[in-house]
């Protein structure tokens, strides 16, 4: 069932979006060469508990996960792209890191993801990340009342394919509200002019993710972490966006944070 928020409810979602944005901004400055992924998870737990928030991940156990997730953030490194289960690993120079965070604050959820390189970055990694971010921006640009989900999907696919990347559509964006995952599904490729008409009050997480040289995924023995089938690098970008009469409202916007 698709839920539409009132203008007051959209405003009530702002604190969750601002919190998730701030945490990712903080992690972007703190996570570096030598940082342990379990320390990243512990840092997020500290911040969530201090805010009085509720993790969307700790008890999360969907059909595609082998067990409850049990951690506060997804930490995907290099060829890992989605649902990266934090584990004992110290980041090395040149590692490409994706952090995906969803938290409930005051009863409302916000979901966002970033990718970056610690230490010295390879040009091809920066291009992959930039393309992912451009695909997200292109989708947000067309997240207007009267457009359709297919317009967002087509915008993502066009940016990715123009840069030479294939697109996997097994996982994509989704509705956000009182829970982390809801309707509608937002594929990362599709045909413009198709799908659900965007109406005011719809709140969705838009999340392009790319793998450098494949469109196939494999799952780790941990039952969660998804990797590129050929071991190539990956990137992920995500924002929670509200559809409003005045245009898209990015609830997890970090641009003002510097």
């Amino acid at each position: 069932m698709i839920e539409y928020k009132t203008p007051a409810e959209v405003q009530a979602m702002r604190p969750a979006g601002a919190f998730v944005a701030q945490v990712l901004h903080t992690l972007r400055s703190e996570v570096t060469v030598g940082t342990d992924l379990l320390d990243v998870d512990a840092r997020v737990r500290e911040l969530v508990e201090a805010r009085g928030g509720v993790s969307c991940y700790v008890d999360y156990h969907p059909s595609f996960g082998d067990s409850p997730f049990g951690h506060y953030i997804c930490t995907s490194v290099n060829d890992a792209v989605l649902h990266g289960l934090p584990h004992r690993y110290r980041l090395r120079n040149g590692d490409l890191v994706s952090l995906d965070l969803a938290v409930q604050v005051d009863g409302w959820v916000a979901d966002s993801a970033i990718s970056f390189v610690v230490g010295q970055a390879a040009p091809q990694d920066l291009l992959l990340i930039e393309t992912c971010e451009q695909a997200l921006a292109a989708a947000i640009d067309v997240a207007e009342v009267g457009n359709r989900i297919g317009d967002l999907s087509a915008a993502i696919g066009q940016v990715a394919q123009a840069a030479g990347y294939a697109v996997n559509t097994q996982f994509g964006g989704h509705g956000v509200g009182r829970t982390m995952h809801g309707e509608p599904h937002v594929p990362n490729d599709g045909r413009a002019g198709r799908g659900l008409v965007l109406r005011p009050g719809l709140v969705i997480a838009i999340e392009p993710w790319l793998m450098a040289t494949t469109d196939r995924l494999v799952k780790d023995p941990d039952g969660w972490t998804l990797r590129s089938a050929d071991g190539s690098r990956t990137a992920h970008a995500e924002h929670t966006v509200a559809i409003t009469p005045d245009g898209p409202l990015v609830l997890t916007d970090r641009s003002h944070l510097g």
Side-chain angles (χ1 to χ4, degrees):
M1 178 179 176
I2 297 173
E3 297 181 357
Y4 295 92
K5 283 72 175 175
T6 66
E9 287 174 331
V10 170
Q11 292 304 309
M13 294 185 72
R14 280 181 175 273
F19 176 71
V20 168
Q22 182 61 63
V23 171
L24 289 177
H25 177 72
T26 297
L27 295 177
R28 180 64 183 86
S29 64
E30 293 180 354
V31 174
T32 187
V33 175
T35 300
D36 193 293
L37 297 183
L38 289 180
D39 290 337
V40 176
D41 187 57
R43 177 67 165 137
V44 175
R45 177 176 182 173
E46 171 191 349
L47 294 169
V48 170
E49 291 181 347
R51 179 61 177 81
V54 177
S55 170
C56 294
Y57 292 156
V58 171
D59 297 322
Y60 186 52
H61 190 186
S63 60
F64 54 79
D66 288 2
S67 61
F69 190 75
H71 292 273
Y72 281 71
I73 189 168
C74 296
T75 57
S76 303
V77 181
N78 295 332
D79 61 330
V81 64
L82 296 174
H83 312 154
L85 197 69
H87 59 284
R88 185 64 65 192
Y89 175 79
R90 291 193 177 278
L91 294 171
R92 302 168 183 170
N93 183 43
D95 277 348
L96 197 167
V97 183
S98 296
L99 302 177
D100 187 358
L101 178 65
V103 179
Q104 185 185 82
V105 175
D106 301 330
W108 294 103
V109 171
D111 192 359
S112 188
I114 58 173
S115 292
F116 56 94
V117 177
V118 296
Q120 186 173 2
Q124 60 267 30
D125 289 345
L126 295 179
L127 177 61
L128 182 64
I129 294 168
E130 181 182 7
T131 302
C132 213
E133 292 174 346
Q134 289 175 345
L136 175 57
I140 293 172
D141 282 346
V142 295
E144 300 272 359
V145 172
N147 284 345
R148 293 177 178 267
I149 290 292
D151 297 319
L152 279 61
S153 301
I156 292 169
Q158 288 166 7
V159 170
Q161 291 158 15
Y165 301 113
V167 179
N168 177 298
T169 55
Q170 287 175 259
F171 296 89
H174 49 87
V176 181
R178 294 290 187 181
T179 60
M180 174 172 58
H181 284 150
E183 295 295 329
H185 176 60
V186 185
N188 285 328
D189 196 14
R191 295 178 62 182
R194 299 292 184 92
L196 180 76
V197 175
L198 304 180
R199 289 170 43 192
L202 180 67
V203 181
I204 51 178
I206 305 172
E207 53 175 319
W209 53 275
L210 298 172
M211 300 178 285
T213 57
T214 185
D215 62 355
R216 293 195 306 111
L217 290 168
V218 293
K219 186 163 71 172
D220 270 7
D222 67 17
W224 276 99
T225 305
L226 296 177
R227 299 181 182 274
S228 61
D230 63 357
S232 61
R233 297 289 185 117
T234 68
H236 184 192
E238 179 181 17
H239 274 309
T240 297
V241 181
I243 309 300
T244 82
D246 299 319
L249 173 62
V250 182
L251 295 170
T252 50
D253 179 42
R254 298 180 305 276
S255 61
H256 62 290
L257 298 175

